């Protein structure tokens, strides 16, 4: 297992990140990306997990549920 951290600076950076993210990887992104028009739709349709960084408890719950699912489905 490993963690890839990307601090992108522009919307186009997402295209580059999509190329380096390995198969069976579970991307977790900030909820704000969901509201970026077509970028948000693309993120949602590709199965990215959205967390609300302003609601700590909710973010922890989402990450915990994601970790359980990842273990169950054997994905990174």
């Amino acid at each position: 297992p490993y963690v890839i951290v990307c601090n992108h600076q522009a919307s186009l950076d997402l295209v580059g990140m999509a190329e380096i993210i390995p198969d069976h990887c579970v991307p977790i992104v900030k909820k704000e990306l969901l509201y970026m028009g077509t970028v948000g739709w693309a993120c949602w349709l590709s199965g990215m997990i959205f967390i609300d960084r302003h609601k700590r408890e909710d973010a922890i719950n989402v990450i915990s549920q994601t970790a359980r699912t990842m273990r169950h489905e054997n994905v990174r």
Side-chain angles (χ1 to χ4, degrees):
Y2 50 88
V3 175
I4 299 172
V5 178
C6 300
N7 185 12
H8 59 89
Q9 299 296 313
S11 298
L12 292 177
D13 293 346
L14 293 172
V15 175
M17 288 187 296
E19 285 297 314
I20 65 166
I21 293 175
D23 292 338
H24 306 293
C25 183
V26 179
I28 298 176
V29 298
K30 60 185 179 180
K31 186 178 178 182
E32 291 84 1
L33 287 180
L34 185 59
Y35 305 109
M36 290 184 63
T38 54
V39 171
W41 277 94
C43 291
W44 182 74
L45 289 171
S46 67
M48 293 187 180
I49 307 297
F50 295 92
I51 60 169
D52 188 347
R53 298 182 305 165
H54 300 291
K55 296 182 179 176
R56 184 177 185 271
E57 302 258 337
D58 291 347
I60 290 170
N61 289 335
V62 168
I63 291 173
S64 296
Q65 178 60 40
T66 301
R68 283 191 291 276
T69 302
M70 289 170 65
R71 272 188 248 117
H72 178 60
E73 295 181 12
N74 195 29
V75 295
R76 294 178 232 151

